[in-house]
């Protein structure tokens, strides 16, 4: 058994003069303050990667920078799924008695600390070195290919995908830390410049600076308790040329195993925090997870199902698409928002009921998946 006892989240966007370690430290201190813990209480550290500061021992470099001496330290790399993968590992560590309080942290100055060319080059390495990288595709290009196939198979349109960008921007408007605060419409998404057809600029998450952290503890702290109820992973491929059929991707495998581990079903979910690097990512994952039928997620968005006052509120901070994406910290913002919602501290964004939350992270090109259920037990 483990508990999320604290979370920390910086604003996303530009943080001029801040390094990855600085942003991670900011988020880590916010998480400690949230949990009411001191740095000396932390005996485990799990750290995500940074493309701007690709140190081979980033976890211990951060521990030194932050002034802690943990008995357990580990760095994790599974792309956008890293934040939840680290949280899952922390859950297992405290259950096994290896550590009492594990600090999970990710952050990066990807917007101000890295040139556009360097960022593209770093992210292009997700491709196969022989069969994909030499042809010059970018991450948006891979997802553009996936989107084209998905649209063909399920009758989804570009306007359907645009609905997800509008929803995320609408949610971001009420969060002061979001990178974007200008409202957009479906027409705005359709009019934005092409990036990797059928994906337009507003179908894609931005590049951001920022940091996020959480603390996973063996015992609860405070009156409101958020328990990790069950979690699971699935890794079906690394390169898109080796990917299975769209109907056999890892999200379905991970969620099935997480349901079994937690004893919960999708109908129990009251709040959802789902990875949304692109509009197609969010559309597909909602359907793969069972939150919508095949090809039906956009219709549910239009019907208000995922609104803040809808049946299953989704990414009420604005998600990667509008809160921002700073690498590992990008998806960890979903966890921070979920924790606020579950503990009744989301202010104007507060939903009616977040007692059972489903989180899902995706790494690579729908390659690595982590599903996790959280429960508010008091």
């Amino acid at each position: 058994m483990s508990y999320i006892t604290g979370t920390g989240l910086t604003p996303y966007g530009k943080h001029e003069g801040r390094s990855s370690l600085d942003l991670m430290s900011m988020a880590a201190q916010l998480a400690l303050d949230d949990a009411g813990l001191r740095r000396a209480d932390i005996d485990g550290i799990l750290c995500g990667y940074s493309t701007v500061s690709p140190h081979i021992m980033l976890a211990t470099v951060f521990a030194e920078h932050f002034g802690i001496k943990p008995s357990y330290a580990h760095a994790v790399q599974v792309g956008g799924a890293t934040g939840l993968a680290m949280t899952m590992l922390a859950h297992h560590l405290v259950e096994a008695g290896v550590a009492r309080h594990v600090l999970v942290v990710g952050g990066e100055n990807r917007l101000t600390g890295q040139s556009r060319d360097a960022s593209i080059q770093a992210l292009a390495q997700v491709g196969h070195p022989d069969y994909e990288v030499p042809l010059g595709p970018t991450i948006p290009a891979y997802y553009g290919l996936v989107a084209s196939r998905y649209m063909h198979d399920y009758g989804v349109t570009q306007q359907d995908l645009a609905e997800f960008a509008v929803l995320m921007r609408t949610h971001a408007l009420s969060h002061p830390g979001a990178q974007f605060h200008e409202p957009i419409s479906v027409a705005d998404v359709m009019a934005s410049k092409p990036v990797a057809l059928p994906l337009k600029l507003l179908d894609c998450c931005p590049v951001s600076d920022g940091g996020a952290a959480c603390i996973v503890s063996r015992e609860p702290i405070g009156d409101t308790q958020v328990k990790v109820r069950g979690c699971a992973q699935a890794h079906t491929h690394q390169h898109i040329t080796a990917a299975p059929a769209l109907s056999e991707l890892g999200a379905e495998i991970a969620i099935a195993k997480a349901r079994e581990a937690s004893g919960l079903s999708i109908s129990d979910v009251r709040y959802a925090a789902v990875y949304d690097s692109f509009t197609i990512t969010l559309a597909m994952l909602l359907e793969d997870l069972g939150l919508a039928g095949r090809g039906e997620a956009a219709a549910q968005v239009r019907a208000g199902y995922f609104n803040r006052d809808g049946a299953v509120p989704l990414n009420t901070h604005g998600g990667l698409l509008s809160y921002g994406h700073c690498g590992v910290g990008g998806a960890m913002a979903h966890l921070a928002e979920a924790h606020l919602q579950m503990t009744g501290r989301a202010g104007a964004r507060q939903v009616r009921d977040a007692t059972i939350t489903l989180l899902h992270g995706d790494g690579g090109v729908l390659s690595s998946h982590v599903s996790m259920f959280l429960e508010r037990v008091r």
Side-chain angles (χ1 to χ4, degrees):
M1 186 175 297
S2 74
Y3 297 84
I4 309 295
T5 53
T7 57
L9 180 65
T10 74
Y12 283 11
K14 284 188 175 182
H15 287 272
E16 297 282 1
R18 296 282 190 179
S19 69
S20 294
L21 291 175
D22 292 337
L23 293 165
M24 291 162 65
S25 295
M26 291 167 62
Q29 187 58 55
L30 289 170
L32 283 170
D33 293 343
D34 190 38
L37 296 172
R38 301 168 301 141
R39 298 189 186 193
D41 294 322
I42 299 299
D43 52 358
I45 173 72
L46 295 175
C47 175
Y49 61 90
S50 166
T51 61
V52 180
S53 306
H55 199 286
I56 62 172
M57 296 178 64
L58 190 56
T60 49
V61 167
F62 171 75
E64 179 182 85
H65 182 84
F66 195 58
I68 58 176
K69 296 182 179 180
S71 57
Y72 185 96
H74 197 69
V76 177
Q77 289 184 260
V78 281
T82 300
L84 282 186
M86 293 193 297
T87 307
M88 180 176 173
L89 177 55
H91 162 66
H92 289 314
L93 287 171
V94 300
E95 276 200 322
V98 175
R100 186 180 178 195
H101 298 291
V102 178
L103 173 63
V104 178
V105 62
E108 197 166 349
N109 57 329
R110 189 174 287 188
L111 179 58
T112 60
Q114 192 173 55
S115 70
R116 179 180 299 179
D117 287 348
S119 181
I120 291 172
Q121 180 65 28
L123 295 176
Q125 301 314 304
V126 71
H128 192 286
D130 297 323
Y131 306 126
E132 295 171 9
V133 172
L135 300 176
T138 61
I139 293 286
Y142 292 121
Y143 275 94
L145 291 172
V146 171
S148 294
R149 182 70 201 189
Y150 197 77
M151 291 165 66
H152 174 269
D153 287 355
Y154 297 106
V156 173
T157 67
Q158 286 180 291
Q159 288 87 349
D160 288 333
L161 294 182
E163 295 283 359
F164 298 94
V166 174
L167 176 65
M168 292 300 97
R169 183 61 59 88
T170 300
H171 285 172
L173 298 179
S174 59
H175 198 305
Q179 187 165 347
F180 296 129
H181 289 112
E182 303 78 21
I184 58 173
S185 65
V186 169
D188 292 327
V189 180
M190 296 301 296
S192 62
K193 69 178 183 180
V195 172
L197 289 175
L199 301 178
K200 303 294 190 74
L201 180 64
L202 293 178
D203 286 300
C204 309
C205 65
V207 176
S208 317
D209 297 337
C214 74
I215 296 171
V216 180
S217 301
R218 194 180 307 164
E219 298 169 353
I221 298 173
D223 295 332
T224 305
Q225 301 174 8
V226 175
K227 180 173 68 174
V228 178
R229 181 71 181 263
C231 42
Q233 299 185 25
H235 307 272
T236 54
H237 64 284
Q238 171 58 47
H239 305 112
I240 195 170
T241 46
L246 294 185
S247 60
E248 301 172 358
L249 292 170
E252 293 185 76
I253 301 170
I255 190 62
K257 294 195 298 184
R259 290 199 312 265
E260 182 179 359
S262 66
L264 296 169
S265 66
I266 294 301
S267 62
D268 295 317
V269 175
R270 297 294 177 264
Y271 179 85
V274 179
Y275 196 80
D276 60 315
S277 52
F278 300 91
T279 52
I280 183 60
T281 319
L282 187 54
M284 290 180 63
L285 289 178
L286 289 172
E287 295 170 12
D288 288 349
L289 295 170
L291 290 166
R294 293 293 184 193
E296 298 175 1
Q300 290 191 208
V301 171
R302 283 190 288 268
Y305 189 84
F306 298 113
N307 288 359
R308 193 172 66 217
D309 59 354
V312 180
L314 171 71
N315 298 352
T316 50
H317 64 305
L320 298 168
L321 286 165
S322 279
Y323 192 88
H325 192 0
C326 61
V328 172
M332 288 190 68
H334 292 64
L335 174 58
E337 176 71 3
H339 190 252
L340 286 178
Q341 291 288 359
M342 297 185 78
T343 53
R345 297 178 297 149
R349 303 185 311 281
Q350 186 64 49
V351 303
R352 290 190 306 270
D353 177 13
T355 49
I356 300 290
T357 289
L358 167 62
L359 300 103
H360 187 86
D362 158 42
V365 186
L366 299 166
S367 310
S368 293
H369 295 267
V370 183
S371 293
M372 177 176 292
F373 287 97
L374 301 181
E375 180 185 14
R376 187 179 73 213
V377 292
R378 192 170 67 188

